[in-house]
Amino acid sequence: MLSVIPHFDREIADSLRPVFTKTSGTKTPGATTPFVTLITDLADYPPHFWIERESEYIIVGTERARQQALTIGHDAGHIFQTSGMILKPRFYEKTTVDRVAERKRLGLEPDCPTGIVLFGGYGSKVMVEITRKLNEAGSGVQLILICGHNQKLAAELKNLPTQKPALVVGFAQNVEYYMALADFFIGKPGPGSISEALQFHLPVIVECNSRTLPQERYNAEWVTENGYGIVVPSFKRIAPAVQRLLDRATFDEFRRQVNQYSNQALFEVPAILEQCAQHTAAPTQSQAAV
């Protein structure tokens, strides 16, 4: 049994507990079912969010999460650390895009610093503020704004006057294509969004404050700890953050750091699950041989 949903791990574990029948005293098949928790955040937000004592095996994507599992009492041999968050398969494929040609085709300048702005499947009103403040500051950057299903937001962004081109995109199933055209990422500190940007070696700018989801606050710390980008207390300060990011020496250092990021979690997790299954089956096989 694999859990990828927080809050429910204890209940799922309880459902798999060995149950003895009153008549035969034998265990139900659930007794040989391994229970694995795959944490899809960069770290846990205890208590009772991801890591429970009832989980037999824990799969984590960061050292922080591994330490949290050890602290709660899990055996080191039952904790498996991957190289990152699991992403959609196409984010692992080598993307060959002619950036100059594609930027021109989409109405963007071929050599202008380009940021991709992404806030989930429905976008965010803050994308309007980000666009305005970068334009007012004369930042010299062009933006790819992914609005998802939010047609009202897309319409408002299309009507904003900007000194540099702004490509407004609605719902896109090929976000990886647009990331391949960008130089940096602006968005919320979600584990998926950050990981997708890093997969394309994009330095990130994210916001973290009292309104940030509690389970996402460590993500901002992780960005800073690893030198993957800039964390701002408010997107009201996006213009100076972009200016700092694009300073040649600073940008080169961020790019050096993100280029070292190598996430192969999609290929690592199946092997880990097989290992968990073998660990659980081994005692049963030994008993059967007696």
Side-chain angles (χ1 to χ4, degrees):
M1 176 72 74
L2 176 66
S3 170
V4 294
I5 305 174
H7 300 303
F8 295 103
D9 288 343
R10 179 176 293 182
E11 289 74 15
I12 295 173
D14 286 343
S15 74
L16 293 174
R17 287 185 185 279
V19 177
F20 289 85
T21 63
K22 293 181 179 179
T23 55
S24 65
T26 58
K27 293 181 179 180
T28 63
T32 59
T33 303
F35 177 45
V36 185
T37 297
L38 171 60
I39 301 178
T40 58
D41 282 303
L42 295 176
D44 194 14
Y45 183 71
H48 309 306
F49 192 71
W50 275 111
I51 302 174
E52 298 284 2
R53 294 184 184 276
E54 289 80 359
S55 293
E56 294 177 79
Y57 304 98
I58 308 287
I59 302 176
V60 302
T62 64
E63 177 62 20
R64 168 70 71 90
R66 191 182 79 86
Q67 290 297 329
Q68 289 175 319
L70 288 171
T71 299
I72 203 172
H74 284 280
D75 185 274
H78 284 207
I79 305 169
F80 300 88
Q81 184 171 344
T82 62
S83 53
M85 300 286 100
I86 285 186
L87 304 175
K88 294 178 181 178
R90 57 178 175 265
F91 278 89
Y92 295 90
E93 298 171 359
K94 186 173 179 59
T95 304
T96 54
V97 175
D98 185 332
R99 284 159 59 96
V100 170
E102 288 302 288
R103 284 183 178 182
K104 286 181 177 179
R105 186 180 68 83
L106 295 169
L108 298 172
E109 296 180 6
D111 300 318
C112 182
T114 305
I116 183 167
V117 186
L118 178 62
F119 283 83
Y122 284 88
S124 171
K125 182 72 173 178
V126 75
M127 294 169 68
V128 175
E129 181 177 33
I130 288 171
T131 305
R132 281 177 173 158
K133 288 194 172 298
L134 289 176
N135 184 64
E136 291 169 358
S139 62
V141 302
Q142 59 189 3
L143 300 176
I144 300 173
L145 301 141
I146 311 292
C147 301
H149 296 284
N150 195 332
Q151 297 179 359
K152 182 178 179 181
L153 173 64
E156 185 173 0
L157 287 168
K158 286 179 180 178
N159 288 328
L160 284 180
T162 56
Q163 298 175 32
K164 290 290 184 179
L167 175 65
V168 179
V169 181
F171 178 73
Q173 292 185 323
N174 59 337
V175 172
E176 70 283 356
Y177 162 76
Y178 294 103
M179 284 195 170
L181 299 179
D183 298 304
F184 62 95
F185 167 88
I186 300 173
K188 65 176 185 176
S193 299
I194 291 174
S195 298
E196 289 173 355
L198 293 179
Q199 198 74 352
F200 280 86
H201 306 304
L202 303 181
V204 305
I205 300 177
V206 296
E207 179 187 66
C208 187
N209 53 44
S210 60
R211 297 186 301 275
T212 303
L213 294 175
Q215 68 271 23
E216 293 186 347
R217 291 173 188 170
Y218 172 69
N219 303 346
E221 292 181 39
W222 183 79
V223 166
T224 301
E225 290 170 357
N226 289 280
Y228 293 149
I230 296 173
V231 178
V232 294
S234 169
F235 279 122
K236 292 179 180 179
R237 299 173 63 176
I238 187 62
V242 168
Q243 183 180 21
R244 177 189 161 201
L245 180 80
L246 294 180
D247 172 80
R248 177 47 55 190
T250 303
F251 189 74
D252 287 347
E253 177 59 21
F254 282 140
R255 284 301 297 264
R256 186 185 70 80
Q257 290 295 113
V258 299
N259 282 336
Q260 293 178 4
Y261 179 81
S262 177
N263 175 3
Q264 298 296 314
L266 181 69
F267 310 106
E268 296 164 349
V269 168
I272 292 171
L273 294 177
E274 180 65 26
Q275 199 171 342
C276 294
Q278 291 174 355
H279 282 179
T280 303
T284 302
Q285 293 169 354
S286 299
Q287 293 169 5
V290 174

